[in-house]
Amino acid sequence: MREQSRDQYQAIAERLLSANHVVVSTGAGVSKESGVPTFREADGLWSKFRPEELANVDAFIRNPERVWEWYQWRRDLISKVKPNPGHYALVELDTLLNRFTLITQNVDNLHQVAGNEYVVELHGNIQRNKCHKCSKFFEEGSIVFEQGSLPKCDCGGLIRPDVVWFGEMLPEDAIQTAWIAAESCDIFLSIGTSAVVYPAAQLPYIAKDAGAFLVEINPEVTELSPLTDISIREASGVALPKIVAALKDL
Ligand code: OAD
């Protein structure tokens, strides 16, 4: 991989510093250096598992045990990992910049563990649970799936992880906040996402249409790459600390 020029980091840092509103939108790639697998890469989750059997509302209705088993496995995996330098750099950006909105498709809670207090969670959070029938929320850690006993709500409905599955709407307040942020930002950074899952994938287009400067951080080319003003072809755990360092040097 070629090294990114220092000028690009400086150019991003200058844009960040002069922006009234900075929006960062993250995907699974941001957590890869923490040990959380991505979805669509060659070694990603969707190369081993079928999304229609696991991350799908009909699959849960058909076979809730199977879906719970998979989410409990992912929960256990995530509970053992830690945020990486990319996550921590985003916490620094939040403190260094004027107005900063962090939007994520990730459900792993690592941005919050790193220290970002306000995160727009487009696809929910694997730590939380809710009733599939009445939508009542359950405290983190209060619900654990065990083989042969499906957790149930007082209303009789099945309790499930509070994540968004294919075939479901995104949380209304999260998507609205994300939309407004994309429309109003001066610079939009798309980090660690293949940018193919809608409506999240629409956000950088909204930002660009509204005049924002578009940056992508991803070791690979994505469908978004042709639209970007700067593409940083490095891991986010490497690139983001460099951006923070460039910002502090200004
Ligand atoms: P994908 O697996 O589709 O894409 C991950 C992206 O991260 C790829 O483009 C990689 O090149 C990039 N990547 C890998 N390592 C990286 C690193 N160290 N730094 C930066 N980028 C890196 O994951 P998402 O785009 O997040 O939804 O997937 C979006 C949604 O699809 C997920 O939220 C999930 C999934 O199905 C649901 O389950 C509803």
Side-chain angles (χ1 to χ4, degrees), residues 128-142:
R128 289 193 305 261
N129 303 282
K130 67 175 180 187
C131 173
H132 188 61
K133 194 169 162 197
C134 73
S135 298
K136 179 179 166 186
F137 284 94
F138 292 85
E139 287 295 312
E140 186 182 321
S142 66

Side-chain angles (χ1 to χ4, degrees), residues 26-30 32-33 38-41 46 51 55 71 74 105-107 123 164-166 191-197 217-222 234-237:
T26 64
V30 163
K32 187 167 177 184
E33 289 150 274
T38 59
F39 295 93
R40 291 175 186 77
E41 290 185 283
W46 296 156
Y71 276 92
R74 282 183 64 198
Q105 294 170 81
N106 298 345
V107 298
H123 293 168
V164 176
W165 287 326
F166 291 105
I191 311 177
T193 174
S194 56
V196 293
V197 174
I217 301 176
N218 195 316
E220 304 298 329
V221 173
T222 72
E234 272 190 306
S236 48

